[in-house]
Amino acid sequence: MRIVVLTGAGISAESGVATFRDSDGLWEGHDVEDVATPEAFERQPSVVHRFYDERRAALAGVGPNPAHEALGRLGDVLGDDFFLVTQNIDDLHERGGSAHVHHMHGELRSALCRGCGARMSWTRELSDYPPCPGCGVSELRPDVVWFGEVPYGMDLIQLQLTRADLFVSIGTSGAVYPAAGFVQYAARHGARTLELNLMPSEGTHFFDEARHGRAGELVPVWVDEVLAGRGG
């Protein structure tokens, strides 16, 4: 059985990672237009850099939870029959044991050079405008997909969805596209669909099955079910 799992902010929120968008529509007190668009970076790069520098530094104070660890265990067993795509820009899946994670919205611990286009691992601040290690130009920006930009690897994601026997959405609101449309895309290609979320998402009605509660409780139980079903 080939499984595609999509994770969103809800799985990392249980580890203490602040979610970008609050109930009032603000991202940690900022308007989206101030910190999460290409236009914002052109207008006030120092503000944007400080925002992401703080979030990058905060990763040191959080760790993976049982949901991340359960998905790492599932990936170890299923290998190439498992594809994990996340909307999250933290590295908790990797620290939870997942060897292969597709970050469709980029990564906090990565930088993108606007000069040469290179993407590179980055753990330091960007607000002091360091030069790109590759081309030497001081044009580094957070390697994060902002509103108005195309998520990474959409062709690969769509290919994996067409091959899936089961699509599982974990900790997502079902409100942000294109990820919110994955369930319908997978279903059209024959996959069964399952939602694991704290509460019903905006797209719950698209799923064959929905279980609601904390990811740290639901995901390990579901993973055990999958492994038991294949004698793992």
Side-chain angles (χ1 to χ4, degrees):
M1 180 171 64
R2 298 179 64 89
I3 299 176
V4 172
V5 169
L6 167 71
T7 64
I11 191 171
S12 292
E14 293 184 20
S15 289
V17 176
T19 57
F20 265 174
R21 185 175 301 216
D22 300 320
S23 59
D24 56 8
L26 299 179
W27 285 23
E28 293 191 1
H30 295 267
D31 286 324
V32 169
E33 292 78 9
D34 291 337
V35 294
T37 65
E39 294 77 15
F41 189 70
E42 293 293 342
R43 186 172 62 250
Q44 47 185 12
S46 294
V47 172
V48 175
H49 274 317
R50 283 196 299 272
F51 177 78
Y52 289 96
D53 283 350
E54 290 171 1
R55 291 186 59 81
R56 191 179 305 110
L59 288 180
V62 299
N65 63 56
H68 295 106
E69 293 165 351
L71 291 174
R73 183 161 51 94
L74 183 62
D76 283 344
V77 175
L78 296 186
D80 292 339
D81 288 331
F82 180 70
F83 182 74
L84 175 59
V85 54
T86 185
Q87 296 171 280
N88 300 334
I89 58 176
D90 59 62
D91 61 349
L92 296 184
H93 280 303
E94 287 85 351
R95 285 194 270 160
S98 291
H100 304 288
V101 185
H102 183 84
H103 287 268
M104 62 181 292
H105 290 162
E107 301 179 65
L108 272 174
R109 286 179 166 167
S110 179
L112 170 65
C113 180
R114 300 199 305 168
C116 66
R119 301 175 67 193
M120 64 208 76
S121 176
W122 197 270
T123 58
R124 308 190 307 277
E125 293 184 348
L126 287 170
S127 54
D128 55 355
Y129 299 94
C132 170
C135 70
V137 177
S138 295
E139 284 287 351
L140 296 180
R141 55 159 275 187
D143 189 13
V144 174
V145 176
W146 289 323
F147 284 94
E149 297 180 325
V150 179
Y152 286 123
M154 285 302 299
D155 288 345
L156 173 61
I157 296 170
Q158 290 175 342
L159 176 62
Q160 293 291 339
L161 290 171
T162 64
R163 296 175 173 177
D165 298 302
L166 175 65
F167 170 73
V168 185
S169 176
I170 302 172
T172 66
S173 66
V176 179
Y177 284 83
F182 290 174
V183 56
Q184 297 174 74
Y185 192 85
R188 284 198 302 270
H189 288 85
R192 284 191 54 78
T193 57
L194 168 66
E195 174 179 88
L196 304 176
N197 204 41
L198 184 62
M199 60 188 68
S201 72
E202 292 188 20
T204 295
H205 56 286
F206 292 124
F207 289 85
D208 296 314
E209 180 185 356
R211 306 179 189 180
H212 298 128
R214 292 176 57 84
E217 299 170 358
L218 294 180
V219 177
V221 169
W222 169 70
V223 167
D224 285 344
E225 291 174 0
V226 172
L227 297 181
R230 68 190 308 276

